[in-house]
Amino acid sequence: MNADTGRPTFLLVHGGWHGAWCWDGVRAALDADGWRSHAVDLPSANPPAGRPDGARPVGMLDDADAIRDSLRCIDGPVVVVAHSYGGVPTTEAIADAANVVEAVFLAAFQLDAGESVFTYLGKPVPDDDTDHAPPYEAARRILFDDVPEADAARAVARLRPQSVRSFAEKVTTAGWRTVPSSYVVCDRDRALDPSRQRELATRAGSVYQLPSSHSPFLSMPGQLATLLGRIATSTLPAL
C-alpha cells in the first residue's frame, strides 16, 4: 500500500544486542497499513567497520547521534518508537529534534537526566566500561519466550555483543519532558519486569499494554503495528 504522505513517519530504534533487522515484520505490517517507517542500527551493538584498533568503544551518546542523524534524513513529522535499552539514546536524541511529534517507549528505559541503565537498575557501574556484554545465555527464554521457534532461533543467532559503555553513560537531557510520549507495557516480559515498566510508564503521557514477552516485534508484529498506528493517528490534527 502507498503510504499516506500526511501521516507521520515512524523511526524504529532497537534495544541492546539487536539491530534494525528486528523491526522487519513490524515495518511490513506498517507499510500494509499505509505508514512509512525507517529503522536505525545503533553502533553500540553494530559498531561501524574500519574503526582503528584501540578506539574507544561506542556508547549511549554515540547511539543518540545515530538517531539524530536518522531524524535529519526524514522529512515531516516523526514518531520515534524505542525498545528496551533503545529508550535511553532516544530520550537523549529527541530533546532537540523539532520534527519529533511523539516518542513511544516499548518495554523501554524511559530515563531521566542523570540516570543510566546501570543506575536505574541499582547495579554498580563497572570500573572498566570498555568491554562488551554478550547476549543473555538464556536469550530464547528471556527475550523471545512467546516467539515462534524458528523465528526465535533466527533472532538468537543474530544477537551481537553490546557495548558496556552504552549501559553506563547517563542521560544528559530527557527529551520526554518536552516531547509527548507513550509507554507500552509488555505484560509477559521476562527481561524488564512489568512492575518496573509500570514505574517507568508514570513518566509518559499515555500508557498501553500488550500481552507479550519482551519482543512483540517478533511475537505479534501485526498487533504491535496496529497499536503504533493508533498512537500515531492520535498525533494528527483534529479535522
Side-chain angles (χ1 to χ4, degrees):
M1 178 183 294
N2 292 328
D4 182 347
T5 55
R7 292 173 162 187
T9 299
F10 287 99
L11 179 63
L12 308 172
V13 183
H14 64 80
W17 301 287
H18 287 67
W21 54 265
C22 72
W23 295 108
D24 289 350
V26 174
R27 295 191 67 193
L30 288 170
D31 181 71
D33 286 339
W35 297 97
R36 293 167 295 175
S37 68
H38 301 270
V40 58
D41 270 319
L42 299 181
S44 60
N46 304 273
R51 286 176 60 82
D53 291 341
R56 180 186 71 84
V58 294
M60 185 276 291
L61 296 175
D62 300 284
D63 289 341
D65 285 339
I67 295 168
R68 290 188 187 99
D69 288 343
S70 294
L71 288 170
R72 293 187 190 104
C73 294
I74 300 174
D75 292 327
V78 181
V79 173
V80 184
V81 182
H83 177 245
S84 196
Y85 157 76
V88 188
T90 291
T91 199
E92 182 76 27
I94 64 175
D96 54 1
N99 58 339
V100 177
V101 295
E102 180 88 13
V104 181
F105 293 86
L106 174 64
F109 289 91
Q110 187 169 351
L111 300 188
D112 207 347
E115 294 179 332
S116 71
V117 171
F118 282 141
T119 63
Y120 179 76
L121 294 177
K123 295 185 176 181
V125 179
D127 293 332
D128 181 6
D129 65 358
T130 63
D131 203 355
H132 286 76
Y136 292 105
E137 288 187 11
R140 170 70 174 101
R141 178 179 62 83
I142 296 173
L143 300 177
F144 311 122
D145 183 53
D146 59 347
V147 177
E149 188 62 42
D151 294 337
R154 283 191 291 268
V156 169
R158 298 189 72 170
L159 298 178
R160 295 292 179 264
Q162 178 75 23
S163 160
V164 171
R165 188 183 295 270
S166 65
F167 297 147
E169 286 186 329
K170 295 179 179 180
V171 172
T172 67
T173 306
W176 55 267
R177 288 192 172 276
T178 53
V179 175
S181 65
S182 299
Y183 199 101
V184 180
V185 176
C186 294
D187 289 334
R188 295 178 53 194
D189 201 324
R190 292 173 179 260
L192 181 59
D193 192 276
S195 65
R196 301 305 296 268
Q197 292 182 46
R198 288 189 286 271
E199 177 182 89
L200 289 162
T202 61
R203 298 173 172 180
S206 301
V207 182
Y208 303 85
Q209 291 178 268
L210 283 176
S212 75
S213 68
H214 194 59
S215 305
F217 43 82
L218 294 179
S219 63
M220 49 183 69
Q223 191 170 339
L224 175 57
T226 297
L227 175 58
L228 295 178
R230 284 174 50 204
I231 295 171
T233 298
S234 71
T235 70
L236 297 173
L239 297 178

PDB file of all heavy atoms in Angstrom, residues 1-4 7 30-35:
ATOM      1  N   MET A   1       0.854  -1.198   0.000  1.00  0.00           N
ATOM      2  CA  MET A   1       0.000   0.000   0.000  1.00  0.00           C
ATOM      3  C   MET A   1       0.885   1.241   0.000  1.00  0.00           C
ATOM      4  O   MET A   1       1.912   1.274   0.662  1.00  0.00           O
ATOM      5  CB  MET A   1      -0.900  -0.005   1.236  1.00  0.00           C
ATOM      6  CG  MET A   1      -1.787   1.228   1.353  1.00  0.00           C
ATOM      7  SD  MET A   1      -2.775   1.209   2.869  1.00  0.00           S
ATOM      8  CE  MET A   1      -3.842  -0.190   2.537  1.00  0.00           C
ATOM      9  N   ASN A   2       0.468   2.261  -0.751  1.00  0.00           N
ATOM     10  CA  ASN A   2       1.224   3.503  -0.749  1.00  0.00           C
ATOM     11  C   ASN A   2       0.997   4.247   0.560  1.00  0.00           C
ATOM     12  O   ASN A   2      -0.129   4.351   1.049  1.00  0.00           O
ATOM     13  CB  ASN A   2       0.784   4.405  -1.905  1.00  0.00           C
ATOM     14  CG  ASN A   2       1.186   3.820  -3.243  1.00  0.00           C
ATOM     15  OD1 ASN A   2       2.214   3.147  -3.341  1.00  0.00           O
ATOM     16  ND2 ASN A   2       0.380   4.073  -4.266  1.00  0.00           N
ATOM     17  N   ALA A   3       2.082   4.780   1.119  1.00  0.00           N
ATOM     18  CA  ALA A   3       1.974   5.487   2.389  1.00  0.00           C
ATOM     19  C   ALA A   3       1.279   6.822   2.199  1.00  0.00           C
ATOM     20  O   ALA A   3       1.448   7.493   1.183  1.00  0.00           O
ATOM     21  CB  ALA A   3       3.365   5.696   2.973  1.00  0.00           C
ATOM     22  N   ASP A   4       0.484   7.195   3.166  1.00  0.00           N
ATOM     23  CA  ASP A   4      -0.203   8.487   3.194  1.00  0.00           C
ATOM     24  C   ASP A   4       0.808   9.547   3.608  1.00  0.00           C
ATOM     25  O   ASP A   4       1.313   9.540   4.727  1.00  0.00           O
ATOM     26  CB  ASP A   4      -1.357   8.412   4.196  1.00  0.00           C
ATOM     27  CG  ASP A   4      -2.152   9.705   4.260  1.00  0.00           C
ATOM     28  OD1 ASP A   4      -1.681  10.732   3.731  1.00  0.00           O
ATOM     29  OD2 ASP A   4      -3.243   9.683   4.852  1.00  0.00           O
ATOM     30  N   ARG A   7       0.616  11.536   6.961  1.00  0.00           N
ATOM     31  CA  ARG A   7       0.856  10.899   8.243  1.00  0.00           C
ATOM     32  C   ARG A   7       2.311  11.060   8.670  1.00  0.00           C
ATOM     33  O   ARG A   7       3.203  11.247   7.836  1.00  0.00           O
ATOM     34  CB  ARG A   7       0.566   9.405   8.134  1.00  0.00           C
ATOM     35  CG  ARG A   7      -0.889   9.028   7.930  1.00  0.00           C
ATOM     36  CD  ARG A   7      -0.978   7.536   7.659  1.00  0.00           C
ATOM     37  NE  ARG A   7      -2.311   7.008   7.856  1.00  0.00           N
ATOM     38  CZ  ARG A   7      -2.597   5.706   7.807  1.00  0.00           C
ATOM     39  NH1 ARG A   7      -1.642   4.833   7.553  1.00  0.00           N
ATOM     40  NH2 ARG A   7      -3.827   5.283   8.008  1.00  0.00           N
ATOM     41  N   LEU A  30       3.267  -2.158   9.031  1.00  0.00           N
ATOM     42  CA  LEU A  30       3.027  -0.721   8.931  1.00  0.00           C
ATOM     43  C   LEU A  30       2.842  -0.303   7.478  1.00  0.00           C
ATOM     44  O   LEU A  30       1.951   0.486   7.136  1.00  0.00           O
ATOM     45  CB  LEU A  30       4.185   0.060   9.564  1.00  0.00           C
ATOM     46  CG  LEU A  30       4.297   0.025  11.086  1.00  0.00           C
ATOM     47  CD1 LEU A  30       5.618   0.645  11.531  1.00  0.00           C
ATOM     48  CD2 LEU A  30       3.124   0.748  11.738  1.00  0.00           C
ATOM     49  N   ASP A  31       3.687  -0.821   6.612  1.00  0.00           N
ATOM     50  CA  ASP A  31       3.593  -0.493   5.193  1.00  0.00           C
ATOM     51  C   ASP A  31       2.244  -0.923   4.625  1.00  0.00           C
ATOM     52  O   ASP A  31       1.619  -0.188   3.844  1.00  0.00           O
ATOM     53  CB  ASP A  31       4.737  -1.173   4.441  1.00  0.00           C
ATOM     54  CG  ASP A  31       4.710  -0.844   2.950  1.00  0.00           C
ATOM     55  OD1 ASP A  31       5.007   0.309   2.587  1.00  0.00           O
ATOM     56  OD2 ASP A  31       4.389  -1.743   2.152  1.00  0.00           O
ATOM     57  N   ALA A  32       1.777  -2.097   5.032  1.00  0.00           N
ATOM     58  CA  ALA A  32       0.481  -2.578   4.550  1.00  0.00           C
ATOM     59  C   ALA A  32      -0.659  -1.675   5.001  1.00  0.00           C
ATOM     60  O   ALA A  32      -1.697  -1.599   4.332  1.00  0.00           O
ATOM     61  CB  ALA A  32       0.244  -4.008   5.036  1.00  0.00           C
ATOM     62  N   ASP A  33      -0.460  -0.979   6.120  1.00  0.00           N
ATOM     63  CA  ASP A  33      -1.474  -0.054   6.632  1.00  0.00           C
ATOM     64  C   ASP A  33      -1.248   1.387   6.170  1.00  0.00           C
ATOM     65  O   ASP A  33      -1.934   2.300   6.631  1.00  0.00           O
ATOM     66  CB  ASP A  33      -1.488  -0.092   8.162  1.00  0.00           C
ATOM     67  CG  ASP A  33      -2.132  -1.361   8.695  1.00  0.00           C
ATOM     68  OD1 ASP A  33      -2.891  -2.003   7.954  1.00  0.00           O
ATOM     69  OD2 ASP A  33      -1.869  -1.711   9.861  1.00  0.00           O
ATOM     70  N   GLY A  34      -0.270   1.587   5.293  1.00  0.00           N
ATOM     71  CA  GLY A  34      -0.062   2.920   4.732  1.00  0.00           C
ATOM     72  C   GLY A  34       0.868   3.823   5.509  1.00  0.00           C
ATOM     73  O   GLY A  34       0.880   5.040   5.290  1.00  0.00           O
ATOM     74  N   TRP A  35       1.671   3.238   6.406  1.00  0.00           N
ATOM     75  CA  TRP A  35       2.612   4.037   7.193  1.00  0.00           C
ATOM     76  C   TRP A  35       4.031   3.889   6.646  1.00  0.00           C
ATOM     77  O   TRP A  35       4.445   2.789   6.282  1.00  0.00           O
ATOM     78  CB  TRP A  35       2.611   3.582   8.654  1.00  0.00           C
ATOM     79  CG  TRP A  35       1.322   3.759   9.375  1.00  0.00           C
ATOM     80  CD1 TRP A  35       0.356   2.817   9.585  1.00  0.00           C
ATOM     81  CD2 TRP A  35       0.843   4.960   9.984  1.00  0.00           C
ATOM     82  NE1 TRP A  35      -0.688   3.347  10.292  1.00  0.00           N
ATOM     83  CE2 TRP A  35      -0.423   4.671  10.550  1.00  0.00           C
ATOM     84  CE3 TRP A  35       1.362   6.251  10.102  1.00  0.00           C
ATOM     85  CZ2 TRP A  35      -1.174   5.619  11.227  1.00  0.00           C
ATOM     86  CZ3 TRP A  35       0.609   7.201  10.785  1.00  0.00           C
ATOM     87  CH2 TRP A  35      -0.638   6.880  11.335  1.00  0.00           C
TER      88      TRP A  35
END
